[in-house]
Amino acid sequence: MKALFKIGTIVLLAFSYTTSMGQQKKVLRKELLNAVINQKITMVDIKEISMESGQVAPKHLHPCPVVGYVKSGTVIFQVEGEEKVVLNEGDAFYEPKNKKILHFDNASKEKPLRFVAFYLKETDEENIKLIN
């Protein structure tokens, strides 16, 4: 009982200290993406990629899953079998392993596009394969 009282007192004091300091700020977490990856990941290759205004990416696929987010700009994005979507600054995306990416295009004719891609690799797969 004494131990329980001591623990309760310590928790109460710690709470009182942090709230009285007034400097403790909440950590906010905004969910951007929730994707199921069905493979063992042994390596992550992270790239920042830039595309010029109006630039269109060729059709391609990735031998490994790719997750990422748009740092600046707007993207027209389409995975084979899915609807075309528009991604804006701060949006996240998922490109499944070995699935055709029909569009990853800079939607703006005036502004460049910057995004970060995380290539989730099992071994030493290539990052990208261009397709017809």
Side-chain angles (χ1 to χ4, degrees):
M1 186 66 154
K2 284 184 181 181
L4 186 58
F5 177 74
K6 284 183 181 179
I7 292 171
T9 303
I10 290 169
V11 169
L12 184 60
L13 287 173
F15 179 75
S16 298
Y17 176 73
T18 57
T19 55
S20 69
M21 293 290 291
Q23 296 176 3
Q24 282 292 70
K25 295 191 180 191
K26 240 183 186 181
V27 174
L28 301 177
R29 289 176 175 82
K30 175 183 168 187
E31 185 166 322
L32 298 178
L33 175 72
N34 191 346
V36 176
I37 312 286
N38 291 319
Q39 78 173 36
K40 181 179 179 183
I41 298 168
T42 61
M43 182 181 138
V44 177
D45 185 5
I46 304 170
K47 305 281 188 202
E48 181 175 290
I49 301 163
S50 299
M51 296 175 69
E52 294 178 18
S53 56
Q55 188 173 358
V56 173
K59 289 178 178 53
H60 63 279
L61 60 80
H62 300 282
C64 61
V66 179
V67 295
Y69 69 94
V70 180
K71 283 184 74 171
S72 63
T74 306
V75 178
I76 298 170
F77 176 58
Q78 185 178 20
V79 176
E80 184 177 49
E82 297 179 18
E83 293 293 318
K84 219 184 266 189
V85 296
V86 175
L87 303 174
N88 297 297
E89 183 176 318
D91 288 343
F93 60 88
Y94 170 56
E95 297 176 295
K97 177 179 182 174
N98 291 323
K99 197 134 186 206
K100 291 180 184 177
I101 308 304
L102 304 178
H103 292 279
F104 202 98
D105 309 330
N106 187 344
S108 174
K109 302 294 183 204
E110 296 84 35
K111 297 179 183 178
L113 165 67
R114 287 183 35 206
F115 63 96
V116 176
F118 298 78
Y119 299 87
L120 308 175
K121 299 182 174 193
E122 284 185 80
T123 56
D124 59 350
E125 299 100 330
E126 296 177 72
N127 286 353
I128 190 170
K129 286 186 179 179
L130 301 181
I131 56 175
N132 293 328

